[in-house]
Amino acid sequence: EMRSGMAESVPASREPSRRNFFDSHLTGALSRRKPKKSSNVVSDEKSNSNGENEGLKLLDFIRSSIVGSDEIFEGPFGPRRIIYMDYIASGRLLHSIEDYLRNEVMSVYANTHTTTSATGLQSTLFREEARAIIHRCVRAGKDDAVVFCGSGATGALNKLSQIVGMKRRAEFPEEAKKGPQPSWPHVIVGPYEHHSNLLPWRESLCKIHTVLEHPQKGMDLDHLETILKSITQSKSKEKSRPLIIGAFSAASNVSGILVDTKKVTELLHKYGALSFWDYATAAPYVPIDMHPGGAQGAHGGGGGAAKDAIAISTHKFLGGPGSPGVLIVKRAILGSTLARAPKVVGGGTVFFVGDSWHRYLENLEEREEGGTPDIVGAVRAGLTFQLKEALGIQVIKEAEQMHLMASLKSLSLIPQLRLLGSLKPKRLPIFSFNIAAPSPLSKSVSVDTKINDTNNAGGSRSDLILHYGFVAALLNDLFGIQARGGCACAGPYAQSCLGISAQRSKKIEAELLHKNEILRPGFVRICLHYATTEEEREFVLKALEFVSQHGWTLLPLYHFKISSGEWVHRRLLARGPPSRRWLGRISYSQGKMVYPDSRKSSRKSAADLNECFRSAHQLVEDIKAQPPHIVDQNSLLPESSQGLRWFMLPSEAVSLLNGVEIPAPSIVASSESATSDLKMEMDLKMEIDGSYNGGWSAPATASATQLCRNCFHPHSMGKGHGRECFSCDCIDFAPLLDNSVPFISQNGGEEQSGASERKDTFVANKRKRKPEHSSDSARETTKSVKQRTNYRLADEKTKNGSKKSKKTRNKHLRKVSHRISREVGKAIQEFDMIREGDRVLVGVSGGKDSLTLLNILLEKKRKAPISFEIAACTVDPMAPEYDPSPLKGYMREKGIPYFFETQNVMEAAKKILNASRDSICSFCSRMRRGILYNTARRENYNVLALGQHLDDLAESFVMSAFHNGALRTMKANYLNDKGDVRIIRPLVYVRERYLREYATLNRLPVIDENCPACFEAPKERARVKLMLASQEHVFPNVFSCLLRAMKPLMKGQLEKKRGVHLIKSKKEDSKKSMEVEICSRLKNLQTSKSSKDRLLSQSENGGDWNDEEEKNWIKLDENGGDLWKIIQ
């Protein structure tokens, strides 16, 4: 009745449309085609031998036409041929289709929405013919419409939810807060839904019901009928007649289990529900029939089994990447939108537009495809359906069944491999699995128990498995197999297969919010496509057997990233993937487009399939003979997440290789801990909602950690420890327990008391801070929670006129500014950075550090008892990803001299550097520094101020010790090599988190520098930063200790240079120190050879310089040179 009611809404009047014109062109061409029985209808009769031979011949042609089938990449174990097994995520392009598109379609390409030009007409006809091909291949009738929908099945299903009039919760927040209402639609989803067919309904105002899975039959139809009966019985008691929708996946993208679409549709229609189908996974492999069980839909066939809508991702077809999603929907449903404007309005949707009125087209397909369509993508989609039709569903089915039976037989013999999903229902050859790590429990698991065992990868087992990220990386690096690791965008079904309870899922989510991404549960997935050859299939199965048996021994070769969950071979950490191709290496400088031939450079003879296994076995033997050394990695994850870890660590693999047993992980947390976690989550939620009453707080301990109510990341609350977030750029946090934290500063009054106060330097604020104790912090807990407001929420309140939030923000800004100003003043005084009459040039990159430094120095200049000048300089390397030009307006507002220097650093790097050996980052840094020096000389500035902070100095100190074996860090105040520019770093006592807060609270125009040379490249400094953060989590005073260790290296004494000592001036009232005077006097002097020898001899003997000796030593000589060069 509901479907007929929708049909009545379609007007019988003449449609304002261009469809008749298109149909007149298409009908003639299509009518000349002889009627052909659709190959999508599976017949019980066997195909004749000629048809089979033609299908197999076409299959061989398709295999040879796959783009990239012979591609080779360079991995950590050498060159490997790509074996593509990720067809469920995306198909692959075909040379044949791309050749046709390039030669026949793109050569006459033009925008549609016109028929007056040859190109416009041809492009329009191409697109409409592609629509007609899809219409025919899915056995749609005249009552069905084909709509192109942008981004795969996701776009199609979102479009479908809009067409049926679903209200989004975000658009109706008040109604959403009231909860389910009798008038809300009912949406029934299956157990296999991926996010594209789940989230559009969850974000709508509707009641969602989930059908359970039957262990033997797949989707439980009895449970579906129970749900339908319950809905219809409740409807009969209500006056309103809410809509009922059944939205199901035709096949699971995790297990490949197929759903009987005909039986489910008949059951839905029996109870008056609409039948929507997600064919994203199934479409390339199974027949698609809008009207099964009878004649074509145009003649009224199909009866109760006729589907109401189908969503398809054509990019998953062979030849389909780059094509849009497709929605096939009943015109009766689509016609219900005529009473309102289309969701996407614009060109192509209107019939006529006047001065103050407009009318939309009534053609149902055109009005839903606003804007310039993806013409080439639509044509590609039609060609993929045409190819599938020509190949024949029988050929596809036979190839898939052959792969399925052979794979199940082989995989059932691998005891370590655990397949996900039931093996009883009909399924596609899609295999999702995990691999057990060696442990007494996993060795005793039988084959039958193993296959049906679902408690892994985040479940409640006490044994470990190999991380899916590691397994996918190993398959890629060792064998070239392109598999996928993760949850396959099907979270609920994946967690069900993995045996993860709702309570455990909440705990895992809490850890993921802390950026412990490595704990995300998942699996490895491969798909044996019908285009996969038998040789490739056997190679893949043999590789899975090898990884299942020996993969754990290769764990020590890999490094995992906690924040991203990635597993990378240690050899690739420093230089990244060697086969990476760069858009940035394209050049147009020669008047044409020129780029390196990556395929030519990587066209090395890849190891044949047998050689891959020989080298893999040899690698395992080498590691067993001499296991590498790896430090214990158990402490890398927070203690709270140890009970959630389900994978084996590389350090644990080393222990096993060395014959040391590893203890079983503690999976189940204590009830007291679980209760505390739940209480913390509840209180945090209340606090976010504005209902926190301070009724509960955690005990104050030196190493306690709490979640931030602003970003949900952990913040260490130990005594004397900074409250910064280790996971994100949270500008302020509000823990349930707040320990006041002292700013990092140099301890010990002896050094401070020894510092002399000079009239020509800044005088630092010497007020001492009271020592802080945990009892003081505990007393101020309630006050701190109230004060440390969520500033992101405060911003919204400010817009609505909230004076309280603005006051809180300004108070915190003053606090942060005072901290930074105090530490900068202390550094300037202690290292004698700025003196009377100095001309200071601040290097401003646009980042938070340099902009904060500029503002603090300008503030100091206003209050300083001495006179000095400030200017700023920015170096633009002319990289397209980095544009510092907005700083020009900001500097004009500041009213200071500003120099904007440009130089194409990237082009210079390409000409000079060896890409495989030299560091572009180091080269760029040197180039920028040189430009700043030249600008300072040209504009007569004697001091260059840079924005490195305490975190930078600590990281440089650790990197120098680790990689160079030297105790070095950045200097706080020193001269450049030529002695004419003095470099200062006033932020050496300031922590980075305070600079971040200052920049955010002041809304400084921070410019993100996305350098193409280091985009996604591994950075050693980032790794050291993560290491220091983890150490600080355990040892809260680590930066204070590092500061004391670095202090002698930061001091402004000038070092020995080949035996020559430069002496600091002892005159307290001099305008410049003695080293600057010596540099300026010796710069332009020359000396004779005898004087040179005497000078060097005197220097080597350790003699000091004085004015009298200098006058006697330095003489003019026509062959003499620069004295600094002589000394060096």
Side-chain angles (χ1 to χ4, degrees):
E1 290 176 354
M2 282 186 294
R3 288 186 287 124
S4 63
M6 284 188 174
E8 292 174 0
S9 65
V10 180
S13 60
R14 184 178 65 225
E15 292 183 352
S17 170
R18 296 186 293 270
R19 176 65 54 193
N20 293 335
F21 179 82
F22 301 147
D23 290 345
S24 66
H25 284 76
L26 289 173
T27 304
L30 296 176
S31 63
R32 290 191 290 270
R33 294 172 56 96
K34 294 182 179 180
K36 178 181 177 181
K37 185 177 180 179
S38 173
S39 60
N40 275 337
V41 179
V42 181
S43 174
D44 293 335
E45 299 179 359
K46 294 184 178 180
S47 303
N48 57 61
S49 58
N50 291 334
E52 288 183 355
N53 291 335
E54 289 179 3
L56 295 175
K57 185 177 179 181
L58 179 57
L59 182 58
D60 290 338
F61 169 77
I62 291 173
R63 288 168 175 165
S64 64
S65 184
I66 295 176
V67 176
S69 59
D70 58 345
E71 195 71 21
I72 294 173
F73 73 96
E74 184 73 25
F77 303 111
R80 293 292 187 269
R81 177 194 159 201
I82 289 178
I83 308 294
Y84 192 76
M85 291 286 120
D86 198 19
Y87 283 99
I88 297 303
S90 178
R92 303 206 79 188
L93 294 171
L94 296 178
H95 285 293
S96 53
I97 289 180
E98 296 307 305
D99 290 343
Y100 180 84
L101 290 173
R102 182 175 58 254
N103 298 330
E104 300 294 330
V105 178
M106 296 182 188
S107 59
V108 292
Y109 176 87
N111 201 347
T112 54
H113 307 156
T114 183
T115 57
T116 57
S117 64
T119 53
L121 175 61
Q122 182 60 67
S123 295
T124 301
L125 292 176
F126 267 138
R127 188 165 184 267
E128 295 307 318
E129 188 176 4
R131 193 195 306 271
I133 291 173
I134 297 173
H135 192 276
R136 182 185 72 246
C137 289
V138 300
R139 285 177 50 82
K142 287 189 175 181
D143 57 340
D144 301 313
V146 177
V147 182
F148 295 110
C149 300
S151 54
T154 302
L157 289 166
N158 275 275
K159 171 75 73 176
L160 184 58
S161 68
Q162 296 170 1
I163 289 173
V164 296
M166 286 290 179
K167 296 180 179 179
R168 286 298 174 95
R169 292 178 178 270
E171 298 175 2
F172 299 89
E174 296 300 327
E175 191 172 348
K177 287 181 180 179
K178 295 178 182 178
Q181 302 296 317
S183 60
W184 282 16
H186 294 263
V187 177
I188 309 172
V189 297
Y192 309 123
E193 309 315 316
H194 65 93
H195 302 157
S196 296
N197 194 34
L198 191 62
L199 299 184
W201 311 114
R202 284 190 178 184
E203 292 297 328
S204 301
L205 295 177
C206 63
K207 303 174 186 177
I208 297 180
H209 311 266
T210 303
V211 181
L212 300 178
E213 182 186 26
H214 192 282
Q216 307 294 329
K217 303 177 183 178
M219 192 167 78
D220 193 339
L221 298 187
D222 293 336
H223 186 232
L224 171 60
E225 187 165 18
T226 301
I227 294 174
L228 289 168
K229 286 181 179 179
S230 174
I231 295 173
T232 53
Q233 288 174 2
S234 61
K235 280 174 52 181
S236 60
K237 301 177 183 179
E238 302 290 341
K239 296 181 180 180
S240 60
R241 299 170 61 85
L243 183 66
I244 306 176
I245 297 172
F248 304 103
S249 291
S252 167
N253 69 331
V254 174
S255 60
I257 294 176
L258 293 165
V259 176
D260 192 333
T261 60
K262 185 173 181 294
K263 288 184 179 179
V264 173
T265 300
E266 289 174 341
L267 186 58
L268 290 171
H269 287 172
K270 176 182 175 181
Y271 290 90
L274 295 172
S275 173
F276 295 166
W277 288 95
D278 174 11
Y279 267 80
T281 299
Y285 315 104
V286 302
I288 307 174
D289 197 346
M290 280 288 287
H291 296 268
Q296 291 284 348
H299 304 288
K307 301 175 181 64
D308 296 302
I310 289 176
I312 300 173
S313 293
T314 52
H315 74 271
K316 298 179 185 291
F317 284 63
L318 267 182
S323 57
V326 177
L327 173 65
I328 301 99
V329 60
K330 284 282 182 286
R331 291 185 179 274
I333 298 175
L334 201 57
S336 63
T337 64
L338 290 175
R340 59 180 184 270
K343 284 293 182 181
V344 179
V345 297
T349 65
V350 289
F351 174 69
F352 190 80
V353 179
D355 292 339
S356 58
W357 78 96
H358 56 272
R359 181 185 298 274
Y360 291 101
L361 291 168
E362 291 184 4
N363 179 273
L364 301 176
E365 291 159 319
E366 289 180 272
R367 65 183 276 120
E368 293 297 336
E369 296 176 346
T372 299
D374 182 5
I375 301 169
V376 177
V379 177
R380 182 183 279 111
L383 293 176
T384 61
F385 270 91
Q386 188 183 65
L387 179 64
K388 177 189 172 185
E389 181 185 47
L391 182 61
I393 200 65
Q394 192 63 29
V395 174
I396 295 175
K397 181 179 179 180
E398 290 175 359
E400 297 274 307
Q401 285 299 311
M402 181 178 63
H403 290 329
L404 180 63
M405 300 308 296
S407 300
L408 289 177
K409 181 180 179 181
S410 177
L411 296 178
S412 64
L413 301 177
I414 306 175
Q416 299 88 351
L417 191 142
R418 302 170 179 172
L419 284 176
L420 270 61
S422 174
L423 303 180
K424 300 298 182 181
K426 292 182 180 180
R427 60 187 292 164
L428 298 171
I430 301 171
F431 303 101
S432 297
F433 59 90
N434 279 310
I435 296 176
S439 69
L441 182 59
S442 62
K443 289 179 182 177
S444 63
V445 176
S446 65
V447 173
D448 294 336
T449 306
K450 177 268 304 180
I451 288 180
N452 295 315
D453 181 18
T454 59
N455 296 324
N456 48 66
S460 58
R461 288 188 66 95
S462 60
D463 59 333
L464 299 173
I465 66 174
L466 301 184
H467 197 285
Y468 56 83
F470 165 71
V471 175
L474 194 59
L475 289 171
N476 175 80
D477 297 344
L478 262 183
F479 305 107
I481 297 173
Q482 308 301 294
R484 183 167 293 265
C487 67
C489 294
Y493 180 55
Q495 293 178 34
S496 174
C497 290
L498 296 172
I500 301 176
S501 64
Q503 181 182 6
R504 189 173 182 81
S505 180
K506 284 288 185 182
K507 292 182 178 180
I508 293 174
E509 182 189 28
E511 291 300 325
L512 297 180
L513 290 171
H514 299 175
K515 295 296 180 69
N516 294 323
E517 190 68 25
I518 195 72
L519 295 175
R520 184 181 295 275
F523 46 82
V524 183
R525 184 187 68 189
I526 63 171
C527 170
L528 293 171
H529 195 269
Y530 60 81
T532 302
T533 63
E534 292 185 32
E535 180 187 16
E536 291 173 335
R537 181 193 70 209
E538 294 305 315
F539 174 76
V540 170
L541 295 176
K542 190 176 178 182
L544 292 180
E545 181 181 8
F546 175 88
V547 173
S548 298
Q549 295 176 355
H550 308 290
W552 69 273
T553 63
L554 303 179
L555 270 170
L557 301 180
Y558 282 79
H559 170 83
F560 64 89
K561 301 178 182 179
I562 296 176
S563 60
S564 64
E566 297 174 83
W567 289 74
V568 184
H569 194 284
R570 294 182 180 274
R571 190 177 299 168
L572 303 181
L573 284 175
R575 57 190 179 96
S579 296
R580 178 177 173 181
R581 303 172 185 184
W582 299 75
L583 297 175
R585 290 179 181 171
I586 300 174
S587 173
Y588 303 93
S589 59
Q590 302 177 21
K592 59 181 179 180
M593 184 177 181
V594 180
Y595 56 91
D597 187 353
S598 301
R599 297 196 63 188
K600 182 178 180 181
S601 60
S602 64
R603 201 169 292 148
K604 302 177 181 178
S605 56
D608 60 36
L609 303 187
N610 293 327
E611 179 60 31
C612 287
F613 288 105
R614 284 194 293 269
S615 62
H617 281 287
Q618 184 60 49
L619 183 64
V620 170
E621 294 300 322
D622 293 343
I623 292 179
K624 287 182 177 180
Q626 190 175 1
H629 172 72
I630 296 181
V631 297
D632 184 16
Q633 296 171 321
N634 281 283
S635 60
L636 289 178
L637 289 170
E639 186 178 351
S640 61
S641 65
Q642 287 297 329
L644 299 175
R645 179 169 66 85
W646 43 265
F647 58 93
M648 174 178 272
L649 297 170
S651 60
E652 293 174 332
V654 172
S655 298
L656 286 181
L657 289 170
N658 290 323
V660 180
E661 282 195 22
I662 58 174
S666 176
I667 297 295
V668 182
S670 65
S671 59
E672 181 180 355
S673 174
T675 304
S676 299
D677 291 343
L678 182 60
K679 181 67 175 174
M680 179 179 289
E681 289 180 21
M682 293 175 61
D683 283 0
L684 283 171
K685 183 178 186 303
M686 293 170 62
E687 194 175 2
I688 293 172
D689 294 339
S691 57
Y692 175 72
N693 56 11
W696 176 86
S697 63
T701 60
S703 60
T705 59
Q706 290 190 14
L707 295 178
C708 172
R709 73 178 182 187
N710 296 341
C711 66
F712 290 96
H713 295 157
H715 296 256
S716 179
M717 301 308 299
K719 179 181 176 182
H721 178 58
R723 293 185 297 245
E724 77 281 5
C725 179
F726 296 126
S727 303
C728 72
D729 292 344
C730 181
I731 63 170
D732 197 33
F733 74 105
L736 297 181
L737 176 64
D738 183 25
N739 292 341
S740 299
V741 182
F743 194 84
I744 295 291
S745 62
Q746 177 66 17
N747 293 334
E750 296 180 0
E751 293 185 3
Q752 293 183 7
S753 61
S756 60
E757 296 185 12
R758 297 165 48 126
K759 295 181 181 180
D760 56 343
T761 59
F762 290 154
V763 178
N765 188 346
K766 295 187 176 182
R767 287 179 298 175
K768 296 183 179 180
R769 192 180 304 139
K770 294 182 180 180
E772 295 171 328
H773 305 283
S774 58
S775 59
D776 297 333
S777 301
R779 285 194 300 267
E780 295 181 2
T781 299
T782 306
K783 180 180 178 181
S784 299
V785 169
K786 293 180 179 179
Q787 288 178 346
R788 302 186 70 79
T789 309
N790 184 336
Y791 283 103
R792 280 174 288 187
L793 296 178
D795 286 342
E796 297 176 4
K797 293 179 181 178
T798 303
K799 295 177 181 178
N800 297 328
S802 174
K803 297 180 180 180
K804 184 177 180 180
S805 61
K806 186 175 180 179
K807 182 179 179 180
T808 306
R809 182 187 183 94
N810 291 337
K811 183 178 180 181
H812 185 63
L813 175 58
R814 289 193 299 271
K815 184 178 179 181
V816 172
S817 300
H818 177 69
R819 282 174 174 171
I820 298 175
S821 180
R822 182 182 61 222
E823 299 298 332
V824 168
K826 177 182 175 182
I828 290 175
Q829 181 213 12
E830 188 166 347
F831 295 103
D832 194 21
M833 292 184 180
I834 301 179
R835 304 152 190 171
E836 179 70 31
D838 276 345
R839 289 170 56 82
V840 182
L841 181 67
V842 183
V844 179
S845 66
K848 65 182 187 309
D849 306 331
S850 58
L851 286 171
T852 301
L853 173 61
L854 178 63
N855 281 269
I856 294 296
L857 288 181
L858 289 173
E859 178 185 349
K860 290 288 184 184
K861 183 178 183 297
R862 290 193 296 269
K863 302 176 182 179
I866 62 173
S867 174
F868 63 94
E869 299 179 22
I870 292 180
C873 179
T874 298
V875 178
D876 182 6
M878 300 181 68
E881 293 82 2
Y882 171 55
D883 179 19
S885 58
L887 292 174
K888 297 177 181 179
Y890 179 74
M891 296 302 175
R892 279 196 296 269
E893 293 177 2
K894 289 293 180 182
I896 61 173
Y898 182 54
F899 309 100
F900 193 88
E901 306 293 327
T902 60
Q903 182 164 338
N904 200 327
V905 176
M906 295 303 299
E907 285 297 322
K910 292 177 183 177
K911 297 177 182 178
I912 298 174
L913 296 184
N914 186 328
S916 62
R917 194 176 56 202
D918 299 327
S919 169
I920 296 181
C921 296
S922 177
F923 176 84
C924 181
S925 177
R926 293 194 302 269
M927 289 283 290
R928 290 188 178 191
R929 188 71 60 83
I931 295 171
L932 289 173
Y933 288 163
N934 291 334
T935 305
R937 297 187 188 104
R938 186 189 70 217
E939 304 297 336
N940 197 25
Y941 286 88
N942 65 313
V943 179
L944 175 63
L946 301 179
Q948 285 86 6
H949 43 73
L950 178 57
D951 293 51
D952 290 329
L953 269 69
E955 290 155 18
S956 298
F957 176 73
V958 173
M959 290 168 62
S960 179
F962 282 9
H963 302 292
N964 299 325
L967 296 180
R968 294 176 184 167
T969 189
M970 303 175 188
K971 297 290 185 295
N973 181 11
Y974 69 101
L975 286 167
N976 67 337
D977 290 339
K978 291 187 176 182
D980 57 350
V981 178
R982 188 158 49 86
I983 295 91
I984 63 173
R985 294 186 171 96
L987 300 177
V988 289
Y989 286 161
V990 182
R991 291 297 305 276
E992 183 181 16
R993 64 176 180 268
Y994 295 116
L995 300 175
R996 184 183 301 116
E997 290 185 41
Y998 182 93
T1000 305
L1001 294 172
N1002 277 288
R1003 295 185 175 88
L1004 297 182
V1006 176
I1007 297 174
D1008 293 327
E1009 183 171 356
N1010 299 314
C1011 176
C1014 49
F1015 177 71
E1016 287 190 353
K1019 304 176 182 66
E1020 185 58 25
R1021 184 171 292 274
R1023 285 190 283 271
V1024 172
K1025 183 185 288 290
L1026 179 62
M1027 182 197 70
L1028 290 176
S1030 63
Q1031 291 299 308
E1032 191 177 18
H1033 185 73
V1034 181
F1035 306 104
N1037 295 322
V1038 64
F1039 275 90
S1040 296
C1041 297
L1042 285 173
L1043 179 58
R1044 286 196 294 273
M1046 295 186 298
K1047 198 68 174 290
L1049 305 176
M1050 296 163 50
K1051 293 219 172 199
Q1053 306 157 332
L1054 298 178
E1055 298 175 291
K1056 294 182 179 180
K1057 289 192 175 182
R1058 296 187 182 274
V1060 179
H1061 296 273
L1062 299 180
I1063 309 303
K1064 291 184 66 175
S1065 172
K1066 296 181 181 179
K1067 301 177 181 179
E1068 295 296 330
D1069 56 345
S1070 62
K1071 293 184 179 180
K1072 294 186 178 180
S1073 62
M1074 189 63 182
E1075 64 265 24
V1076 177
E1077 294 179 9
I1078 293 175
C1079 290
S1080 61
R1081 280 190 284 172
L1082 299 189
K1083 182 177 179 182
N1084 299 319
L1085 291 176
Q1086 295 178 320
T1087 180
S1088 63
K1089 186 177 185 300
S1090 59
S1091 297
K1092 296 178 195 176
D1093 296 339
R1094 183 180 176 189
L1095 173 60
L1096 294 176
S1097 175
Q1098 183 78 8
S1099 301
E1100 291 171 359
N1101 293 330
D1104 292 334
W1105 297 356
N1106 56 51
D1107 290 349
E1108 191 65 26
E1109 286 177 323
E1110 182 184 342
K1111 294 178 181 178
N1112 295 331
W1113 290 347
I1114 298 175
K1115 300 178 181 179
L1116 289 176
D1117 182 74
E1118 58 183 3
N1119 295 323
D1122 184 30
L1123 183 59
W1124 283 109
K1125 294 181 180 178
I1126 297 170
I1127 295 174
Q1128 293 173 357

